[in-house]
């Protein structure tokens, strides 16, 4: 039977407006029509009454790691656990994200292709979870952010990536990721907070990145670069990457290049914020806490410049990294507002902009006829109380209620 959502306040994400007293008609998995409730006259619809809720499209997190859960021992997990155990953890984490209102995820690198196994299981209807766009293994250089730091006699084990050196190995790595089902490439352009060395130092060369990105772009695939430092960001943009992740040590030339090339930025404020907030007391090395604080220092000012220059800014959280737990990452929206975004801009980043970033704007991201019936609902108006985003009371994915009120018979 068809369903209808009665929405007291609807943020369709087609713009910044909020529509009141709307009826969203759902036929199977998709939205059939959106109209004022007073115009609805259907009798053969199951009613889901969200008249006291603030309803948004299903949220989209464009930077998660479903295989890790925010704990400090993730390295020991990857050493001691099988890929099967990792995949089960990925399923649990993805479900936590779904219950928080995230009906779509972009997994930015997983161990043992667990993300792809989970995506395929969800798509086949074998398990319940968000829609997923997957990277497979992150690709980095020897000694880089995707490599391990085990002693040299432990071989065949990397942190969570595929290690390459030189353009030929880079091309092979890209082809391998797509062979095993990746939707996009995730490359490590610079160092990171969680690995030794400077987070801003370039690691992959321009030639290595271009070799990989030529493969992705020739196949019409998406690509992303973990990149903190300015030179690595510039190299990745010039090599043809679609999105820059983090970007916390960018300079003005980076901003101009992103604007000129149409490159998206996914700022992941929460990833650094959680380490600075909890890291010292929890025993994270002081060097990592210091690097996080340094990365965040100029982030707010640079994000303001990005907005002024028209850089397209998405929403991503790095959920799964230290103290950044799945199902709790909506706090990134609060941080975005604290960093100068309006609540509407933050919500658009997590809906419409992310759908465009993931090249899924034909199916998700806004409440419009023909798109999947993916919704999240909250007890307060998020444009007035953005902190209420942490309490998602209703989730629908593809016309099926995953959390909250079931249809009235």
């Amino acid at each position: 039977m068809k369903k209808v959502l009665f929405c007291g306040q609807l943020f369709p994400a087609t713009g910044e407006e909020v529509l009141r007293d709307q009826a969203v008609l759902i036929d199977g998995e998709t939205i059939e029509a959106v109209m004022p409730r007073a115009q609805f006259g259907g009798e053969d619809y199951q009613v889901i009454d969200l008249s006291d809720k603030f309803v948004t499209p299903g949220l989209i997190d464009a930077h998660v790691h479903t295989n890790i859960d925010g704990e400090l021992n993730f390295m020991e997990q990857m050493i001691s656990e099988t890929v099967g155990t990792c995949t089960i953890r990925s399923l649990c984490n993805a479900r936590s994200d779904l219950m928080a209102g995230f009906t779509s995820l972009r997994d930015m690198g997983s161990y043992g292709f667990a993300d792809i196994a989970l995506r395929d299981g969800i798509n086949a209807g074998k398990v319940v979870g968000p829609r997923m766009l997957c990277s497979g293994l992150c690709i980095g250089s020897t000694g880089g952010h995707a490599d391990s730091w085990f002693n040299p006699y432990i071989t065949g084990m990397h942190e969570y990536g595929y290690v390459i050196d030189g353009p030929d190995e880079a091309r092979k790595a890209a082809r391998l990721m797509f062979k095993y089902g990746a939707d996009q490439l995730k490359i490590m352009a610079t160092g990171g907070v969680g690995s030794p060395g400077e987070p801003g130092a370039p690691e992959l060369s321009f030639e290595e990145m271009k070799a990989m990105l030529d493969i992705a772009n020739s196949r019409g695939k998406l690509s992303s670069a973990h990149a903190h430092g300015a030179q690595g960001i510039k190299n990745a943009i010039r090599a043809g990457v679609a999105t820059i992740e983090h970007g916390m040590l960018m300079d003005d030339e980076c901003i101009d290049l992103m604007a000129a090339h149409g490159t998206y930025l996914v700022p992941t404020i929460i990833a650094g914020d959680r380490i600075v907030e909890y890291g010292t007391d929890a025993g994270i090395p002081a060097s990592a806490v210091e690097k996080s604080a340094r990365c965040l220092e100029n982030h707010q000012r640079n994000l303001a410049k990005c907005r002024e220059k028209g850089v397209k800014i998405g929403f991503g959280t790095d959920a799964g990294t230290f103290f950044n737990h799945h199902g709790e990452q909506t706090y990134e929206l609060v941080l975005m507002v604290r960093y100068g975004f309006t609540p509407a801009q933050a919500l658009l980043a997590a809906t419409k902009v992310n759908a465009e970033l993931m090249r899924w704007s034909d199916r998700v991201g806004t409440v419009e006829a023909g798109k999947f019936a993916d919704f999240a609902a909250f007890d307060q108006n998020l444009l007035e109380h953005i902190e209420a985003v942490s309490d998602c009371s209703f989730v629908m994915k593809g016309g099926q209620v995953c959390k909250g009120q079931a249809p009235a018979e």
Side-chain angles (χ1 to χ4, degrees), residues 12 55 107 129 221 224 228 240 292 301 335 343 368 375:
V55 182
D107 196 303
K221 298 286 190 177
S224 62
H228 282 294
S292 291
R301 182 170 63 251
L335 289 172
E368 295 179 281
F375 297 94

Side-chain angles (χ1 to χ4, degrees), residues 42-254:
E43 297 179 356
D44 297 325
Y45 286 79
Q46 292 179 321
V47 174
I48 299 175
D49 191 356
L50 303 177
S51 331
D52 59 343
K53 306 295 183 187
F54 183 88
V55 182
T56 71
L59 302 178
I60 305 169
D61 192 335
H63 192 132
V64 304
H65 297 279
T66 56
N67 66 308
I68 52 177
D69 51 19
E71 301 300 324
L72 286 176
N73 66 337
F74 75 91
M75 280 296 292
E76 290 113 2
Q77 289 174 339
M78 284 189 285
I79 294 170
S80 62
E81 293 178 354
T82 66
V83 174
T85 301
C86 176
T87 305
I88 291 171
R89 183 170 57 250
S90 295
L91 171 60
C92 294
N93 289 334
R95 283 180 173 170
S96 294
D97 296 336
L98 181 64
M99 293 301 102
F102 293 98
T103 55
S104 297
L105 303 175
R106 183 172 64 149
D107 196 303
M108 295 297 283
S110 183
Y111 172 63
F113 297 97
D115 58 335
I116 291 170
L118 176 58
R119 177 203 66 195
D120 292 348
I122 292 169
N123 290 347
K126 296 176 181 178
V127 294
V128 175
R131 307 180 195 284
M132 290 183 65
L133 187 149
C134 297
S135 309
L137 309 181
C138 303
I139 305 173
S141 61
T142 296
H145 189 50
D147 200 359
S148 73
W149 292 87
F150 304 129
N151 77 60
Y153 305 105
I154 299 176
T155 61
M157 178 70 190
H158 301 294
E159 186 174 339
Y160 52 85
Y162 188 96
V163 172
I164 62 97
D165 292 292
D168 287 341
E169 290 186 3
R171 275 185 285 270
K172 181 176 180 179
R175 290 172 178 143
L176 193 70
M177 294 310 113
F178 293 134
K179 173 184 176 180
Y180 288 111
D183 301 299
Q184 71 146 27
L185 293 184
K186 164 74 177 299
I187 65 176
M188 302 301 209
T190 75
V193 168
S195 56
E198 278 298 307
E203 291 184 346
L204 290 169
S205 70
F206 169 82
E207 291 78 13
E208 289 167 332
M209 288 191 282
K210 189 170 190 309
M212 288 185 279
L213 295 171
D214 282 351
I215 299 294
N217 292 331
S218 69
R219 300 185 183 196
K221 298 286 190 177
L222 194 60
S223 58
S224 62
H226 161 104
H228 282 294
Q231 190 57 54
I233 292 171
K234 296 169 195 174
N235 288 346
I237 294 170
R238 289 170 175 145
V241 81
T243 75
I244 295 293
E245 311 299 310
H246 318 303
M248 293 186 180
L249 299 174
M250 70 177 71
D251 61 18
D252 288 348
E253 187 181 4
C254 293

Side-chain angles (χ1 to χ4, degrees), residues 239-321:
V241 81
T243 75
I244 295 293
E245 311 299 310
H246 318 303
M248 293 186 180
L249 299 174
M250 70 177 71
D251 61 18
D252 288 348
E253 187 181 4
C254 293
I255 296 170
D256 291 337
L257 276 173
M258 283 189 285
H261 286 255
T263 311
Y264 287 84
L265 173 67
V266 181
T268 65
I269 306 165
I270 190 174
D273 178 85
R274 298 294 81 181
I275 293 175
V276 172
E277 179 74 17
Y278 300 111
T280 302
D281 292 340
I284 287 182
S287 60
V289 177
E290 183 275 330
K291 284 191 282 186
S292 291
R294 184 154 34 100
C295 284
L296 285 172
E297 186 176 352
N298 297 318
H299 209 27
Q300 182 170 355
R301 182 170 63 251
N302 285 332
L303 287 173
K305 292 180 180 179
C306 286
R307 292 193 300 273
E308 291 169 6
K309 291 289 184 72
V311 173
K312 295 179 284 191
I313 302 174
F315 173 95
T317 65
D318 223 357
T321 54

